[in-house]
Amino acid sequence: MPKIYMISDLASVTGLSRHTLNFYLKLGLIKESGRTESNYRFFDQAVVDRLHDIIRLRQAGCSLKQVQALLEGKRP
């Protein structure tokens, strides 16, 4: 069974704050994988992998706009 993560789990696994994760959601850099019956967002391993890519790009000095373009396969 695939691992699912709640937003607090993502924060623990990536070291990013919940505020940052919610900001990335708002920008569309990440997307929720679904919702629980209680309407909580959950995420899968692909989102964790994408967040690790975002972290690496940010550490390399890319702006969020550049990160989004690179992840979407467009020229920044």
Side-chain angles (χ1 to χ4, degrees):
M1 181 159 183
K3 174 112 170 104
I4 64 165
Y5 301 87
M6 306 307 275
I7 196 109
S8 58
D9 300 324
L10 285 181
S12 295
V13 169
T14 63
L16 298 170
S17 69
R18 291 176 65 169
H19 175 78
T20 298
L21 294 169
N22 283 319
F23 185 63
Y24 288 176
L25 279 162
K26 183 177 177 183
L27 291 178
L29 286 172
I30 60 172
K31 293 181 173 61
E32 63 190 45
S33 301
R35 297 252 176 178
T36 66
E37 290 179 12
S38 303
N39 207 31
Y40 287 103
R41 296 178 290 211
F42 67 85
F43 306 87
D44 60 15
Q45 185 61 44
V47 176
V48 174
D49 296 340
R50 186 173 175 97
L51 284 166
H52 286 291
D53 291 340
I54 292 168
I55 291 167
R56 280 191 289 277
L57 290 168
R58 294 289 288 149
Q59 289 173 341
C62 294
S63 69
L64 288 176
K65 191 172 194 173
Q66 291 170 322
V67 168
Q68 190 162 28
L70 288 167
L71 292 176
E72 292 174 359
K74 300 176 187 172
R75 286 190 80 154

